[in-house]
Amino acid sequence: MYPLKRNRRLRTNEAIRSLVRETIISPNDFLVPLFVVEGKGVKEEIASMPNYFRYSLDLLEKEVKELWSLGLKSVLLFVKVPDNLKDNKGTEAVNPKGLMQRAIQTVKNACPEMLVMTDVALDPYSSYGHDGIVEDGEIVNDDSVEVLTAMSVSHAEAGADFVAPSDMMDGRILGIREAFEDEGFVNMGIMSYSAKYASAFYGPFRDALDSAPGFGDKKTYQMDYANRFEALKETEMDIDEGADIVMVKPGLCYLDIVREIKNEVDVPVAVYQVSGEYAMVKAAAEKGWLDHDAVMMEQLVAMKRAGANIIASYFAKDAAKLLG
């Protein structure tokens, strides 16, 4: 006897599949990472990230306007700092006329309603390529937090809406939140990279910013990818310290962590589909081994289905065009 309930009735055609679809993705879900460099008229393709670019400020303005026209309303800024401005103190990170500060102002002038988030970590500014200050071969925590805090205030002064500390130093969220309150930036948001794992998927990003560590690795501050419960502890601490949004990074291999955190917290959860994830899809598609757009959308929907409210992705522009 055939069953009274046939589940395939709800899969008969695209109309019914669309009507009952549980997870819907739109341009509103995306945070667009942007890489900024000095110069004029610069649009450099990143070799390990096909069809992704570094922009000088004049072309950043054009790119931001295009993103807005596609319905993409939030950007995350990263800067490639010239070698002569790098040191072990993060001096350039707090320069009010630094590249990051000018990039914030450029985006806000070009598109005032665009939400601007900024990367807060010392690796782009460090002569050692690490996310904090180095002393005797060790990345020291508390001195690094002081610089990260000053850096965050500098971004607020330049007009950013959110800072996004990606350094994984202990206590930096509390330091930043207290500094914002003290300086009158009570509406400044913090999106914390709460569960950032020491991953091999970051390689192309480090090419993009020339920020690979000059010695050792980042495993003394980024999380061990074998750990699950540690992510919950880190995230809960960041929320207690004043984070408004928490992030899991990388994305696809860590969707179990996204769901764990989503089930436990009452703040928005972001996920970062990182450069290595992007590069793999691009490379396989170029070989003709998979359908670029189909795999891209499947991965993005999987991240939202896992519980992410926000997806930081280098595919954001491609996806928005497809969704449009």
Side-chain angles (χ1 to χ4, degrees):
M1 180 179 178
Y2 288 110
L4 297 178
K5 186 70 173 178
R6 293 180 182 264
N7 293 332
R8 289 182 58 191
R9 293 176 190 140
L10 300 181
R11 305 175 198 148
T12 304
N13 53 49
E14 179 57 24
I16 186 61
R17 289 193 296 271
S18 298
L19 192 64
V20 300
R21 188 161 290 143
E22 297 174 28
T23 306
I24 306 296
I25 200 163
S26 82
N28 291 328
D29 296 312
F30 292 112
L31 176 61
V32 186
L34 292 174
F35 299 123
V36 186
V37 294
E38 294 283 9
K40 189 172 183 180
V42 179
K43 183 179 179 181
E44 300 172 335
E45 185 173 27
I46 301 160
S48 54
M49 297 177 67
N51 203 38
Y52 220 80
F53 303 89
R54 306 179 191 95
Y55 297 96
S56 55
L57 294 177
D58 54 328
L59 297 187
L60 175 66
E61 179 177 343
K62 180 180 178 182
E63 179 67 11
V64 166
K65 289 179 179 178
E66 183 178 354
L67 294 175
W68 187 264
S69 74
L70 292 169
L72 296 164
K73 301 171 185 175
S74 306
V75 296
L76 176 58
L77 299 180
F78 299 90
V79 294
K80 186 176 186 294
V81 179
D83 287 345
N84 66 305
L85 296 177
K86 295 181 180 182
D87 60 22
N88 189 34
K89 299 178 180 179
T91 304
E92 183 62 16
V94 297
N95 179 0
K97 296 183 179 179
L99 182 57
M100 176 63 84
Q101 289 77 1
R102 286 180 282 131
I104 295 166
Q105 293 160 1
T106 296
V107 174
K108 283 298 188 181
N109 288 337
C111 192
E113 294 184 48
M114 181 70 79
L115 185 79
V116 176
M117 296 194 184
T118 58
D119 179 56
V120 172
L122 292 182
D123 51 330
Y125 304 90
S126 170
S127 50
Y128 291 103
H130 276 285
D131 292 37
I133 294 172
V134 178
E135 290 181 6
D136 299 323
E138 178 186 354
I139 294 80
V140 295
N141 194 94
D142 296 0
D143 289 349
S144 299
V145 169
E146 288 185 17
V147 180
L148 295 167
T149 298
M151 183 179 177
S152 298
V153 171
S154 177
H155 294 182
E157 291 171 341
D161 300 292
F162 269 74
V163 292
S166 62
D167 55 284
M168 290 298 286
M169 298 296 124
D170 292 332
R172 89 273 204 216
I173 302 303
L174 181 59
I176 293 168
R177 176 56 68 203
E178 289 180 340
F180 283 163
E181 293 293 319
D182 290 344
E183 296 295 329
F185 295 111
V186 296
N187 292 322
M188 273 294 295
I190 301 175
M191 180 180 72
S192 175
Y193 288 58
S194 296
K196 182 179 181 180
Y197 286 86
S199 171
F201 284 95
Y202 301 149
F205 175 92
R206 291 172 183 170
D207 291 342
L209 293 185
D210 187 25
S211 62
F215 68 89
D217 53 40
K218 301 191 176 186
K219 293 180 180 179
T220 65
Y221 45 102
Q222 294 178 0
M223 285 177 49
D224 184 342
Y225 60 71
N227 291 357
R228 170 184 164 204
F229 295 112
E230 184 183 9
L232 292 172
K233 178 176 69 176
E234 289 277 2
T235 302
E236 289 167 353
M237 288 174 66
D238 283 356
I239 293 169
D240 289 343
E241 291 178 16
D244 303 287
I245 300 170
V246 294
M247 177 187 277
V248 176
K249 183 182 181 182
L252 199 61
C253 293
Y254 298 84
L255 297 188
D256 59 321
I257 306 300
V258 174
R259 174 45 61 185
E260 289 269 10
I261 289 173
K262 182 65 174 178
N263 287 345
E264 294 295 326
V265 306
D266 57 3
V267 302
V269 176
V271 68
Y272 201 137
Q273 186 183 35
V274 298
S275 59
E277 297 172 88
Y278 173 88
M280 288 193 302
V281 174
K282 290 291 185 182
E286 286 176 4
K287 289 282 190 179
W289 292 343
L290 51 75
D291 182 321
H292 176 279
D293 290 352
V295 171
M296 172 184 73
M297 292 307 299
E298 186 174 342
Q299 291 190 358
L300 293 170
V301 169
M303 291 175 192
K304 187 169 183 184
R305 189 188 65 230
N309 304 98
I310 301 163
I311 304 170
S313 175
Y314 304 103
F315 285 119
K317 193 172 177 182
D318 290 341
K321 288 178 179 178
L322 201 62
L323 292 166

